[in-house]
Amino acid sequence: MTPEKLHLALNHFVFLFPLAALVPLIIGLVTKNRTTQISGVIIALIGALITGVVMGSGEDAYERYENGPIAPLLDADAHDALEHHEHVAHDWSKLLYLLAVVSITALLIAWKKQAWLPYATIAVILFCVIAVAVGVYIADSGGTIRRPDFRQSVD
């Protein structure tokens, strides 16, 4: 599988997993169910960890573009859209990695300090909401590369 195909296949998981994680996180918090909260944290963690694969495949795809194999498939304005997407992803992905750190911390808290789990769950919920917003923002900028009809203006 080429890097660009892998990137396209996985990029939505970066925000769909945190979105899906919100359901067990909120239900677990409201019902005070530790297992449900931990399940939500694990789902959020998986989404955050996929970020590394998505970023790596995106960088590999960008190199293939720069070296020529996929350049002919893009129109003249796509280069600007690609550059914009690359900068947006680089700048904002740090918050997605932070979700991984918060999720791992929440798992450690669930193991060592169970009384603190509700607070850790709230932190994971907040970072999941941030991850969804950031993921959608990054994906929106990526959608403009191959879809001229999605481009309004790329700054």
Side-chain angles (χ1 to χ4, degrees):
M1 181 176 281
T2 64
E4 52 276 8
K5 287 181 183 176
L6 180 62
H7 187 71
L8 290 172
L10 296 179
N11 65 31
H12 292 90
F13 290 148
V14 171
F15 63 88
L16 290 177
F17 270 74
L19 182 63
L22 287 171
V23 175
L25 287 167
I26 293 169
I27 290 172
L29 188 63
V30 170
T31 63
K32 299 179 182 173
N33 186 308
R34 180 178 180 269
T35 304
T36 306
Q37 290 175 60
I38 292 171
S39 298
V41 171
I42 290 170
I43 294 168
L45 178 60
I46 292 168
L49 293 176
I50 290 172
T51 300
V53 177
V54 171
M55 291 296 291
S57 62
E59 289 171 10
D60 291 345
Y62 183 78
E63 285 178 22
R64 282 174 42 88
Y65 168 76
E66 289 293 310
N67 295 331
I70 61 173
L73 303 176
L74 301 178
D75 66 26
D77 293 329
H79 176 75
D80 292 339
L82 181 60
E83 291 291 326
H84 177 70
H85 175 61
E86 191 260 338
H87 291 295
V88 166
H90 181 274
D91 293 345
W92 288 94
S93 64
K94 293 166 185 69
L95 290 172
L96 301 171
Y97 292 124
L98 197 52
L99 174 60
V101 172
V102 171
S103 297
I104 290 169
T105 303
L107 290 174
L108 291 172
I109 287 171
W111 181 42
K112 291 286 190 180
K113 295 279 189 184
Q114 294 180 15
W116 295 1
L117 183 58
Y119 304 108
T121 300
I122 291 169
V124 175
I125 289 170
L126 291 173
F127 277 90
C128 280
V129 170
I130 291 168
V132 170
V134 166
V136 168
Y137 178 60
I138 294 169
D140 182 62
S141 71
T144 62
I145 296 168
R146 294 289 306 270
R147 295 288 309 261
D149 53 319
F150 285 1
R151 294 181 205 140
Q152 292 178 3
S153 69
V154 177
D155 299 330

